[in-house]
Amino acid sequence: MKLETRKEQIIKISTILFKEKGFSAVTMRDIAKAMGIKAASLYNHISSKQEILSNIIIALAEEFTEGITQIKKASSSSVDKLNSIVELHVNITSNNSFGMASLNNDWMHLEEKLEYYLKLRLDYEQDFRQIIERGIANHELQDSNAEVMLFSMLSTLRSLYIWIPNKEDLNPSKLSSDLSRVLLKGIIK
Amino acid sequence: MKLETRKEQIIKISTILFKEKGFSAVTMRDIAKAMGIKAASLYNHISSKQEILSNIIIALAEEFTEGITQIKKASSSSVDKLNSIVELHVNITSNNSFGMASLNNDWMHLEEKLEYYLKLRLDYEQDFRQIIERGIANHELQDSNAEVMLFSMLSTLRSLYIWIPNKEDLNPSKLSSDLSRVLLKGIIK
DNA sequence: GAATGTAACTAACAAGTGTTAGTTTGTATT
DNA sequence: AATACAAACTAACACTTGTTAGTTACATTC
């Protein structure tokens, strides 16, 4: 039970506000009001509005990078790797559904960290793509358009942040397995 | 070959800018500059920044509403209805991939039209849900979590605006059929 | 008790925001 | 030539933006 630093509290509250209205529409005065202090006081803990956004997005992006790195080097089947990716997204999103909104919608407002973020994202997509392509090559997956498969899975997984908070009864491991079934086996009988 | 009104030109350019940086981060001066005029001149054609956003979003939302209304009343199978929904999204998004960004990310900045938009969206989702539930009831679809099926399909379809512009070689009818196959039949062999 | 560090405050800044008022320019119609 | 209209302009408004400077209050440490 470690105490949150003041900076962490600011980031946490900002994350919620950023999801509601987007980074650009949230002012430092909005954040300060939500913290119960004045805007100028925020600068005792953070150095800019930018820094808040970077903290939110980069932390999440690195979590995904770590996750897929583990999955990649496992010796499991392609299908099991895809299951693990679904689980990875469900877990990260369950723990930080607000931050995922910024990751998805406000990454273009990163400035110094933009390039780094884009590299992480590209690498992630490339790893994901490769898992699918291996699955096709070794006949675990259907021999159809890999790019569409990637797009379809990734879109669904990236949108989880919209749905997870609305389902209070949510059990992450049940959601993972339901989602895996739908994504991998489809919905037709 | 009808000429575009000045207002339509403003909306078209704004749509592109809104996709790049989001509604809140785009200023009237940005829009004016892209039009080659001064910000004040915009007001000869539109009455507020809000109005531009409303025009973009509501037009698209109504297109989806019309589309699903047609699909709903057709006498086709549930699976064919789902194929038609995929086609509907691919077509609308192909014609207006920029506007779809606003629809997805900036709807919360609608003011007078917010309530109306939310009703359209809720009704659309309800129609979509009902098609899936009927498909389960008549054994066309697997008897598993309808909500997850809806979520998965809708997330993918709503994200099309991100991918379509990146694929120049895009053939809408091929994309529709590839996507339908993946969404409905899954990717596992 | 003096010194230090944390975290708040007030006040203000320069720049940017959406928008309005009033005016000018060019083109088409009478 | 006179009129009307569309569409641009300049100038300014009231307000909001992120951020800085300098100060104060309080607790902890020496």
Side-chain angles (χ1 to χ4, degrees):
Chain A
M1 182 67 67
K2 71 153 192 279
L3 292 232
E4 264 181 335
T5 68
R6 210 82 178 98
K7 177 171 176 177
E8 286 166 342
Q9 291 171 3
I10 291 171
I11 292 172
K12 191 172 182 179
I13 283 201
S14 301
T15 306
I16 297 173
L17 298 179
F18 290 169
K19 176 171 179 184
E20 264 171 50
K21 323 197 312 178
F23 173 74
S24 304
V26 174
T27 70
M28 294 305 277
R29 286 163 181 84
D30 290 337
I31 297 170
K33 185 170 250 177
M35 291 285 297
I37 62 178
K38 298 292 160 118
S41 306
L42 293 170
Y43 289 84
N44 285 317
H45 309 285
I46 52 110
S47 66
S48 68
K49 191 188 176 192
Q50 271 296 314
E51 195 204 347
I52 301 177
L53 184 68
S54 290
N55 266 275
I56 295 170
I57 294 181
I58 299 298
L60 280 166
E62 289 178 341
E63 245 185 287
F64 278 105
T65 297
E66 276 175 48
I68 204 155
T69 301
Q70 293 304 316
I71 293 169
K72 196 167 57 165
K73 73 171 148 204
S75 61
S76 44
S77 69
S78 300
V79 167
D80 277 347
K81 286 184 179 177
L82 293 179
N83 283 324
S84 297
I85 291 178
V86 171
E87 221 176 321
L88 178 66
H89 279 260
V90 170
N91 286 337
I92 293 177
T93 307
S94 297
N95 290 330
N96 199 342
S97 70
F98 295 106
M100 289 302 298
S102 297
L103 182 79
N104 276 291
N105 302 321
D106 285 319
W107 56 267
M108 71 284 275
H109 300 116
L110 290 172
E111 292 174 2
E112 320 87 53
K113 294 284 179 65
L114 177 58
E115 207 179 357
Y116 175 55
Y117 163 77
L118 290 175
K119 176 174 168 36
L120 291 185
R121 189 175 69 175
L122 205 68
D123 288 350
Y124 184 86
E125 289 177 5
Q126 189 47 41
D127 287 342
F128 201 154
R129 182 179 290 111
Q130 205 155 86
I131 290 171
I132 291 176
E133 285 168 349
R134 294 248 170 85
I136 294 174
N138 67 23
H139 307 297
E140 284 184 70
L141 302 181
Q142 293 171 24
D143 185 13
S144 65
N145 197 326
E147 211 57 32
V148 171
M149 293 177 176
L150 172 63
F151 155 59
S152 168
M153 285 196 72
L154 208 36
S155 297
T156 300
L157 296 174
R158 281 182 175 153
S159 303
L160 275 167
Y161 77 96
I162 298 172
W163 298 66
I164 283 187
N166 299 331
K167 316 284 166 193
E168 285 94 23
D169 57 340
L170 184 91
N171 175 339
S173 72
K174 170 150 175 35
L175 177 59
S176 278
S177 70
D178 281 3
L179 203 50
S180 280
R181 181 165 351 103
V182 167
L183 290 175
L184 301 181
K185 299 189 189 151
I187 68 177
I188 279 191
K189 201 155 210 171
Chain B
M1 182 69 67
K2 73 152 193 281
L3 292 232
E4 265 181 334
T5 67
R6 212 81 179 96
K7 177 171 176 178
E8 285 166 343
Q9 292 172 3
I10 292 172
I11 291 173
K12 191 172 182 180
I13 282 202
S14 301
T15 306
I16 296 172
L17 299 179
F18 290 170
K19 177 172 181 184
E20 263 172 50
K21 324 197 315 178
F23 172 74
S24 304
V26 174
T27 70
M28 294 305 278
R29 286 165 181 82
D30 290 337
I31 297 170
K33 185 169 251 175
M35 291 285 298
I37 61 178
K38 297 291 160 119
S41 305
L42 294 169
Y43 289 85
N44 284 318
H45 310 284
I46 52 110
S47 65
S48 68
K49 190 186 175 192
Q50 270 297 314
E51 196 205 347
I52 301 177
L53 184 68
S54 290
N55 266 276
I56 295 170
I57 294 181
I58 299 297
L60 279 166
E62 289 177 342
E63 243 185 289
F64 279 105
T65 297
E66 275 175 50
I68 203 156
T69 301
Q70 293 303 316
I71 293 168
K72 196 167 60 165
K73 72 171 152 206
S75 61
S76 44
S77 69
S78 301
V79 167
D80 278 347
K81 286 184 179 178
L82 293 179
N83 283 323
S84 297
I85 291 177
V86 171
E87 221 176 321
L88 177 67
H89 279 260
V90 169
N91 287 337
I92 293 177
T93 308
S94 298
N95 291 329
N96 198 340
S97 70
F98 296 106
M100 289 302 298
S102 296
L103 183 80
N104 276 293
N105 302 322
D106 285 320
W107 57 268
M108 72 285 272
H109 300 116
L110 290 173
E111 290 173 3
E112 321 86 52
K113 293 284 178 63
L114 177 58
E115 207 179 357
Y116 174 56
Y117 163 76
L118 289 175
K119 176 172 168 39
L120 291 185
R121 188 175 69 175
L122 204 69
D123 288 351
Y124 184 86
E125 289 177 5
Q126 188 49 40
D127 286 343
F128 200 154
R129 183 179 289 111
Q130 207 156 86
I131 291 172
I132 291 176
E133 284 168 351
R134 294 248 169 85
I136 295 174
N138 67 23
H139 308 296
E140 284 184 70
L141 302 182
Q142 292 170 24
D143 185 12
S144 67
N145 198 328
E147 211 56 34
V148 171
M149 294 177 176
L150 172 63
F151 155 61
S152 169
M153 286 195 71
L154 208 36
S155 296
T156 299
L157 296 175
R158 282 183 175 153
S159 303
L160 276 167
Y161 76 96
I162 298 173
W163 299 65
I164 284 187
N166 298 333
K167 316 284 167 194
E168 284 94 24
D169 57 339
L170 186 89
N171 174 340
S173 72
K174 168 148 175 38
L175 177 59
S176 278
S177 71
D178 282 0
L179 202 50
S180 280
R181 180 163 353 99
V182 167
L183 289 175
L184 300 181
K185 298 188 187 150
I187 67 178
I188 279 191
K189 202 157 208 169

